[in-house]
Amino acid sequence: MIFPPFEYKVRLFQGQRQLFDIIRNRYVVLTPEEWVRQHLVHYLINVLNYPKGLIALEKQVPLNGLNRRFDLVCYKSDGSVFLLVECKKGGVKLNQQVFDQAFCYNTELSACHIAITNGDELMCGTLTNGKLHLSNELPQYIK
């Protein structure tokens, strides 16, 4: 895992392992993808100082007449989208198809930073003057 460990609460509820999500303020089913998403959330908040109140997880976004769900969005204080991240479970290859999925969401969200991660790798694209600049680091939060 490229993200540092964090303190977490896990419980067994109706036969399912659940992890407490500090953004949604409730327990969620602990899937391999959720494990990556939660590591990312804690990294953004505790290491990069992203404001917890401006992070949204698994919200619907309309896309070509269908409702899809993004994994993580961090907003600026003016309500515009700063960062969009598509999370995959560990072992899923980060390829053009995964980046395309994130870019499709971005046609509606207009984030200036788009990232994909599987917990072991991270790729981040920054849109500047119509050009995409790739990095393996997430941007520092800018209000």
PDB file of all heavy atoms in Angstrom, residues 90-108:
ATOM      1  N   GLY A  90      -6.779  -3.429  -4.934  1.00  0.00           N
ATOM      2  CA  GLY A  90      -5.403  -3.823  -5.169  1.00  0.00           C
ATOM      3  C   GLY A  90      -5.318  -4.919  -6.205  1.00  0.00           C
ATOM      4  O   GLY A  90      -6.170  -5.805  -6.254  1.00  0.00           O
ATOM      5  N   GLY A  91      -4.324  -4.843  -7.063  1.00  0.00           N
ATOM      6  CA  GLY A  91      -4.128  -5.852  -8.089  1.00  0.00           C
ATOM      7  C   GLY A  91      -4.760  -5.499  -9.426  1.00  0.00           C
ATOM      8  O   GLY A  91      -4.393  -6.069 -10.446  1.00  0.00           O
ATOM      9  N   VAL A  92      -5.709  -4.560  -9.429  1.00  0.00           N
ATOM     10  CA  VAL A  92      -6.307  -4.129 -10.697  1.00  0.00           C
ATOM     11  C   VAL A  92      -5.304  -3.233 -11.405  1.00  0.00           C
ATOM     12  O   VAL A  92      -4.769  -2.292 -10.818  1.00  0.00           O
ATOM     13  CB  VAL A  92      -7.638  -3.374 -10.472  1.00  0.00           C
ATOM     14  CG1 VAL A  92      -8.133  -2.740 -11.761  1.00  0.00           C
ATOM     15  CG2 VAL A  92      -8.687  -4.319  -9.910  1.00  0.00           C
ATOM     16  N   LYS A  93      -5.042  -3.539 -12.643  1.00  0.00           N
ATOM     17  CA  LYS A  93      -4.066  -2.777 -13.415  1.00  0.00           C
ATOM     18  C   LYS A  93      -4.608  -1.390 -13.730  1.00  0.00           C
ATOM     19  O   LYS A  93      -5.745  -1.238 -14.161  1.00  0.00           O
ATOM     20  CB  LYS A  93      -3.757  -3.528 -14.707  1.00  0.00           C
ATOM     21  CG  LYS A  93      -2.563  -2.995 -15.454  1.00  0.00           C
ATOM     22  CD  LYS A  93      -2.113  -4.032 -16.471  1.00  0.00           C
ATOM     23  CE  LYS A  93      -0.890  -3.600 -17.194  1.00  0.00           C
ATOM     24  NZ  LYS A  93       0.315  -3.658 -16.408  1.00  0.00           N
ATOM     25  N   LEU A  94      -3.790  -0.379 -13.495  1.00  0.00           N
ATOM     26  CA  LEU A  94      -4.150   0.986 -13.850  1.00  0.00           C
ATOM     27  C   LEU A  94      -3.801   1.178 -15.319  1.00  0.00           C
ATOM     28  O   LEU A  94      -2.636   1.213 -15.687  1.00  0.00           O
ATOM     29  CB  LEU A  94      -3.397   2.002 -12.983  1.00  0.00           C
ATOM     30  CG  LEU A  94      -3.671   1.931 -11.484  1.00  0.00           C
ATOM     31  CD1 LEU A  94      -2.920   3.034 -10.761  1.00  0.00           C
ATOM     32  CD2 LEU A  94      -5.162   2.007 -11.190  1.00  0.00           C
ATOM     33  N   ASN A  95      -4.829   1.281 -16.140  1.00  0.00           N
ATOM     34  CA  ASN A  95      -4.598   1.376 -17.573  1.00  0.00           C
ATOM     35  C   ASN A  95      -5.485   2.467 -18.173  1.00  0.00           C
ATOM     36  O   ASN A  95      -6.165   3.195 -17.460  1.00  0.00           O
ATOM     37  CB  ASN A  95      -4.854   0.017 -18.238  1.00  0.00           C
ATOM     38  CG  ASN A  95      -6.249  -0.512 -17.958  1.00  0.00           C
ATOM     39  OD1 ASN A  95      -7.172   0.242 -17.655  1.00  0.00           O
ATOM     40  ND2 ASN A  95      -6.411  -1.818 -18.057  1.00  0.00           N
ATOM     41  N   GLN A  96      -5.483   2.545 -19.483  1.00  0.00           N
ATOM     42  CA  GLN A  96      -6.256   3.572 -20.175  1.00  0.00           C
ATOM     43  C   GLN A  96      -7.746   3.455 -19.879  1.00  0.00           C
ATOM     44  O   GLN A  96      -8.438   4.466 -19.747  1.00  0.00           O
ATOM     45  CB  GLN A  96      -5.998   3.492 -21.689  1.00  0.00           C
ATOM     46  CG  GLN A  96      -6.593   4.651 -22.452  1.00  0.00           C
ATOM     47  CD  GLN A  96      -5.958   5.980 -22.099  1.00  0.00           C
ATOM     48  OE1 GLN A  96      -4.741   6.077 -22.071  1.00  0.00           O
ATOM     49  NE2 GLN A  96      -6.762   6.984 -21.819  1.00  0.00           N
ATOM     50  N   GLN A  97      -8.235   2.239 -19.738  1.00  0.00           N
ATOM     51  CA  GLN A  97      -9.663   2.035 -19.456  1.00  0.00           C
ATOM     52  C   GLN A  97     -10.053   2.675 -18.118  1.00  0.00           C
ATOM     53  O   GLN A  97     -11.112   3.289 -18.001  1.00  0.00           O
ATOM     54  CB  GLN A  97      -9.979   0.545 -19.462  1.00  0.00           C
ATOM     55  CG  GLN A  97     -11.439   0.230 -19.249  1.00  0.00           C
ATOM     56  CD  GLN A  97     -11.721  -1.262 -19.287  1.00  0.00           C
ATOM     57  OE1 GLN A  97     -10.814  -2.086 -19.361  1.00  0.00           O
ATOM     58  NE2 GLN A  97     -12.988  -1.612 -19.214  1.00  0.00           N
ATOM     59  N   VAL A  98      -9.197   2.527 -17.108  1.00  0.00           N
ATOM     60  CA  VAL A  98      -9.482   3.119 -15.795  1.00  0.00           C
ATOM     61  C   VAL A  98      -9.425   4.641 -15.883  1.00  0.00           C
ATOM     62  O   VAL A  98     -10.285   5.345 -15.345  1.00  0.00           O
ATOM     63  CB  VAL A  98      -8.503   2.583 -14.726  1.00  0.00           C
ATOM     64  CG1 VAL A  98      -8.751   3.259 -13.382  1.00  0.00           C
ATOM     65  CG2 VAL A  98      -8.622   1.071 -14.596  1.00  0.00           C
ATOM     66  N   PHE A  99      -8.422   5.172 -16.583  1.00  0.00           N
ATOM     67  CA  PHE A  99      -8.322   6.621 -16.754  1.00  0.00           C
ATOM     68  C   PHE A  99      -9.526   7.142 -17.544  1.00  0.00           C
ATOM     69  O   PHE A  99     -10.099   8.184 -17.215  1.00  0.00           O
ATOM     70  CB  PHE A  99      -7.026   7.012 -17.460  1.00  0.00           C
ATOM     71  CG  PHE A  99      -6.228   8.052 -16.733  1.00  0.00           C
ATOM     72  CD1 PHE A  99      -4.852   8.045 -16.803  1.00  0.00           C
ATOM     73  CD2 PHE A  99      -6.827   9.053 -15.982  1.00  0.00           C
ATOM     74  CE1 PHE A  99      -4.093   9.009 -16.139  1.00  0.00           C
ATOM     75  CE2 PHE A  99      -6.092  10.013 -15.317  1.00  0.00           C
ATOM     76  CZ  PHE A  99      -4.729   9.984 -15.396  1.00  0.00           C
ATOM     77  N   ASP A 100      -9.960   6.403 -18.566  1.00  0.00           N
ATOM     78  CA  ASP A 100     -11.121   6.808 -19.359  1.00  0.00           C
ATOM     79  C   ASP A 100     -12.373   6.897 -18.484  1.00  0.00           C
ATOM     80  O   ASP A 100     -13.196   7.801 -18.651  1.00  0.00           O
ATOM     81  CB  ASP A 100     -11.360   5.843 -20.511  1.00  0.00           C
ATOM     82  CG  ASP A 100     -10.314   5.958 -21.611  1.00  0.00           C
ATOM     83  OD1 ASP A 100      -9.526   6.938 -21.599  1.00  0.00           O
ATOM     84  OD2 ASP A 100     -10.279   5.067 -22.484  1.00  0.00           O
ATOM     85  N   GLN A 101     -12.518   5.966 -17.558  1.00  0.00           N
ATOM     86  CA  GLN A 101     -13.661   5.991 -16.652  1.00  0.00           C
ATOM     87  C   GLN A 101     -13.659   7.282 -15.843  1.00  0.00           C
ATOM     88  O   GLN A 101     -14.685   7.960 -15.737  1.00  0.00           O
ATOM     89  CB  GLN A 101     -13.618   4.778 -15.719  1.00  0.00           C
ATOM     90  CG  GLN A 101     -14.792   4.716 -14.762  1.00  0.00           C
ATOM     91  CD  GLN A 101     -14.703   3.522 -13.823  1.00  0.00           C
ATOM     92  OE1 GLN A 101     -13.757   2.738 -13.856  1.00  0.00           O
ATOM     93  NE2 GLN A 101     -15.699   3.385 -12.965  1.00  0.00           N
ATOM     94  N   ALA A 102     -12.503   7.643 -15.295  1.00  0.00           N
ATOM     95  CA  ALA A 102     -12.401   8.883 -14.516  1.00  0.00           C
ATOM     96  C   ALA A 102     -12.655  10.098 -15.398  1.00  0.00           C
ATOM     97  O   ALA A 102     -13.345  11.038 -14.989  1.00  0.00           O
ATOM     98  CB  ALA A 102     -11.029   8.969 -13.850  1.00  0.00           C
ATOM     99  N   PHE A 103     -12.117  10.092 -16.618  1.00  0.00           N
ATOM    100  CA  PHE A 103     -12.325  11.227 -17.520  1.00  0.00           C
ATOM    101  C   PHE A 103     -13.780  11.371 -17.929  1.00  0.00           C
ATOM    102  O   PHE A 103     -14.264  12.487 -18.130  1.00  0.00           O
ATOM    103  CB  PHE A 103     -11.413  11.133 -18.743  1.00  0.00           C
ATOM    104  CG  PHE A 103     -10.091  11.780 -18.520  1.00  0.00           C
ATOM    105  CD1 PHE A 103      -8.994  11.021 -18.158  1.00  0.00           C
ATOM    106  CD2 PHE A 103      -9.932  13.147 -18.649  1.00  0.00           C
ATOM    107  CE1 PHE A 103      -7.768  11.611 -17.927  1.00  0.00           C
ATOM    108  CE2 PHE A 103      -8.717  13.753 -18.419  1.00  0.00           C
ATOM    109  CZ  PHE A 103      -7.623  12.982 -18.055  1.00  0.00           C
ATOM    110  N   CYS A 104     -14.501  10.259 -18.052  1.00  0.00           N
ATOM    111  CA  CYS A 104     -15.942  10.337 -18.353  1.00  0.00           C
ATOM    112  C   CYS A 104     -16.667  11.063 -17.228  1.00  0.00           C
ATOM    113  O   CYS A 104     -17.501  11.935 -17.478  1.00  0.00           O
ATOM    114  CB  CYS A 104     -16.530   8.949 -18.538  1.00  0.00           C
ATOM    115  SG  CYS A 104     -16.162   8.233 -20.151  1.00  0.00           S
ATOM    116  N   TYR A 105     -16.361  10.719 -15.984  1.00  0.00           N
ATOM    117  CA  TYR A 105     -16.971  11.417 -14.849  1.00  0.00           C
ATOM    118  C   TYR A 105     -16.610  12.901 -14.900  1.00  0.00           C
ATOM    119  O   TYR A 105     -17.410  13.763 -14.566  1.00  0.00           O
ATOM    120  CB  TYR A 105     -16.506  10.840 -13.522  1.00  0.00           C
ATOM    121  CG  TYR A 105     -16.901   9.408 -13.272  1.00  0.00           C
ATOM    122  CD1 TYR A 105     -16.125   8.591 -12.486  1.00  0.00           C
ATOM    123  CD2 TYR A 105     -18.056   8.869 -13.828  1.00  0.00           C
ATOM    124  CE1 TYR A 105     -16.483   7.277 -12.242  1.00  0.00           C
ATOM    125  CE2 TYR A 105     -18.421   7.547 -13.594  1.00  0.00           C
ATOM    126  CZ  TYR A 105     -17.625   6.766 -12.801  1.00  0.00           C
ATOM    127  OH  TYR A 105     -17.983   5.468 -12.561  1.00  0.00           O
ATOM    128  N   ASN A 106     -15.407  13.172 -15.326  1.00  0.00           N
ATOM    129  CA  ASN A 106     -14.948  14.556 -15.316  1.00  0.00           C
ATOM    130  C   ASN A 106     -15.637  15.426 -16.362  1.00  0.00           C
ATOM    131  O   ASN A 106     -15.618  16.650 -16.252  1.00  0.00           O
ATOM    132  CB  ASN A 106     -13.429  14.633 -15.473  1.00  0.00           C
ATOM    133  CG  ASN A 106     -12.892  15.928 -14.924  1.00  0.00           C
ATOM    134  OD1 ASN A 106     -13.257  16.334 -13.827  1.00  0.00           O
ATOM    135  ND2 ASN A 106     -12.049  16.586 -15.678  1.00  0.00           N
ATOM    136  N   THR A 107     -16.255  14.830 -17.369  1.00  0.00           N
ATOM    137  CA  THR A 107     -17.007  15.638 -18.327  1.00  0.00           C
ATOM    138  C   THR A 107     -18.150  16.370 -17.626  1.00  0.00           C
ATOM    139  O   THR A 107     -18.558  17.442 -18.058  1.00  0.00           O
ATOM    140  CB  THR A 107     -17.573  14.791 -19.492  1.00  0.00           C
ATOM    141  OG1 THR A 107     -18.437  13.798 -18.973  1.00  0.00           O
ATOM    142  CG2 THR A 107     -16.454  14.173 -20.310  1.00  0.00           C
ATOM    143  N   GLU A 108     -18.635  15.801 -16.521  1.00  0.00           N
ATOM    144  CA  GLU A 108     -19.691  16.442 -15.731  1.00  0.00           C
ATOM    145  C   GLU A 108     -19.140  17.238 -14.556  1.00  0.00           C
ATOM    146  O   GLU A 108     -19.749  18.205 -14.131  1.00  0.00           O
ATOM    147  CB  GLU A 108     -20.670  15.385 -15.193  1.00  0.00           C
ATOM    148  CG  GLU A 108     -21.471  14.699 -16.263  1.00  0.00           C
ATOM    149  CD  GLU A 108     -22.430  15.636 -16.981  1.00  0.00           C
ATOM    150  OE1 GLU A 108     -22.995  16.537 -16.331  1.00  0.00           O
ATOM    151  OE2 GLU A 108     -22.613  15.470 -18.202  1.00  0.00           O
TER     152      GLU A 108
END
